[in-house]
Amino acid sequence: MYKIFKNKNILISNGATRVYIDPIRYITNISSGSMGLSFAKALLKENKVKIVSGDVKIKYPKNENLEIFYTETNYKMLETLEKFFKTSDIFISVAAAVDFDVKHFSNTKIKKDENKDSYVLELKKNIDILKTLSLQKTKNQIVIGFSLETENLLENATKKMKEKNLDFIIANEAKHSMGLKTASATLIDKNGNKTYFENLPKTKLAKKILKKIYESL
């Protein structure tokens, strides 16, 4: 692995978070966690890697250089990430954190009313994990974000990178990535340079993205 990714403390967020409606039901998404796992595998040989993980459909390997910390909600994920962020050289935010929170959480199971045909669930903005952390980064840290979109991919990704003070952002469309073994993606750097990777196995994609980041730096 390239020098910039050698003997470093790597922090990765991965998987899907949950937003509870009541003690039993929750909102989440279809993230498998395979992309975050691919980055971890590419970096494990020569670095210390910590993964703060939500729900995943993959198994993490046992490795002396790898530590896993499981969380559920955005708040718990952020709380755990903050414990390690300041001592991390590189943070890769792969987690598919739920953007919305419920406005009124029910402390008891919401019962079905036979006289009602519809229910209203009010949502509010959830805490932004990546933005909260990236605004704390020092000049010696590298923060890499992801932008998963269904439309206006590059426009939305570039806007997100600027708003969240990122060094790089990886933009991909949900239909070409989420829950799949392969993915297409565009790497964008601070100067607006774009590199497109088409339909690669995620393990290979992670390595190519890291190689390009090394070359950019």
Side-chain angles (χ1 to χ4, degrees), residues 48-112:
K48 298 290 185 182
V49 178
K50 290 182 173 65
I51 298 179
V52 178
S53 179
D55 288 341
V56 292
K57 297 176 178 65
I58 46 89
K59 288 186 177 181
Y60 292 113
K62 291 184 179 180
N63 188 294
E64 62 180 6
N65 287 336
L66 177 64
E67 293 181 90
I68 310 293
F69 303 86
Y70 288 98
T71 59
E72 287 189 316
T73 66
N74 283 29
Y75 292 93
K76 288 294 184 183
M77 180 172 279
L78 176 59
E79 181 183 319
T80 307
L81 287 166
E82 284 183 322
K83 294 178 182 177
F84 310 118
F85 182 73
K86 289 182 180 179
T87 57
S88 297
D89 300 300
I90 299 166
F91 172 46
I92 307 175
S93 175
V94 194
V98 179
D99 292 326
F100 304 101
D101 199 355
V102 295
K103 197 168 184 180
H104 303 290
F105 172 77
S106 175
N107 290 312
T108 58
K109 179 185 174 183
I110 300 171
K111 301 296 291 181
K112 180 170 67 175

Side-chain angles (χ1 to χ4, degrees), residues 28-177:
T28 189
N29 56 64
I30 60 171
S31 173
S32 66
S34 57
M35 195 71 244
L37 175 61
S38 296
F39 275 100
K41 285 182 173 179
L43 293 163
L44 268 176
K45 187 176 180 180
E46 297 178 305
N47 303 277
K48 298 290 185 182
V49 178
K50 290 182 173 65
I51 298 179
V52 178
S53 179
D55 288 341
V56 292
K57 297 176 178 65
I58 46 89
K59 288 186 177 181
Y60 292 113
K62 291 184 179 180
N63 188 294
E64 62 180 6
N65 287 336
L66 177 64
E67 293 181 90
I68 310 293
F69 303 86
Y70 288 98
T71 59
E72 287 189 316
T73 66
N74 283 29
Y75 292 93
K76 288 294 184 183
M77 180 172 279
L78 176 59
E79 181 183 319
T80 307
L81 287 166
E82 284 183 322
K83 294 178 182 177
F84 310 118
F85 182 73
K86 289 182 180 179
T87 57
S88 297
D89 300 300
I90 299 166
F91 172 46
I92 307 175
S93 175
V94 194
V98 179
D99 292 326
F100 304 101
D101 199 355
V102 295
K103 197 168 184 180
H104 303 290
F105 172 77
S106 175
N107 290 312
T108 58
K109 179 185 174 183
I110 300 171
K111 301 296 291 181
K112 180 170 67 175
D113 187 339
E114 297 296 341
N115 297 315
K116 291 177 67 175
D117 292 325
S118 62
Y119 298 82
V120 175
L121 178 64
E122 289 189 87
L123 301 175
K124 61 181 181 180
K125 188 186 294 185
N126 208 339
I127 190 168
D128 191 323
I129 298 171
L130 176 55
K131 187 173 183 178
T132 302
L133 291 172
S134 64
L135 292 178
Q136 301 174 32
K137 80 180 182 76
T138 67
K139 64 180 181 180
N140 296 320
Q141 288 179 302
I142 297 171
V143 175
I144 303 163
F146 268 74
S147 183
L148 184 76
E149 306 290 344
T150 58
E151 59 183 357
N152 301 324
L153 177 64
L154 300 182
E155 179 184 343
N156 288 332
T158 301
K159 181 180 177 182
K160 181 176 180 179
M161 181 172 64
K162 292 177 180 177
E163 288 179 347
K164 301 191 180 186
N165 191 35
L166 308 179
D167 297 290
F168 297 90
I169 195 161
I170 300 156
N172 53 9
E173 292 187 86
K175 65 181 180 180
H176 294 148
S177 176

Side-chain angles (χ1 to χ4, degrees), residues 161 167 188-193:
M161 181 172 64
D167 297 290
I188 308 173
D189 67 20
K190 276 186 172 182
N191 297 318
N193 298 310

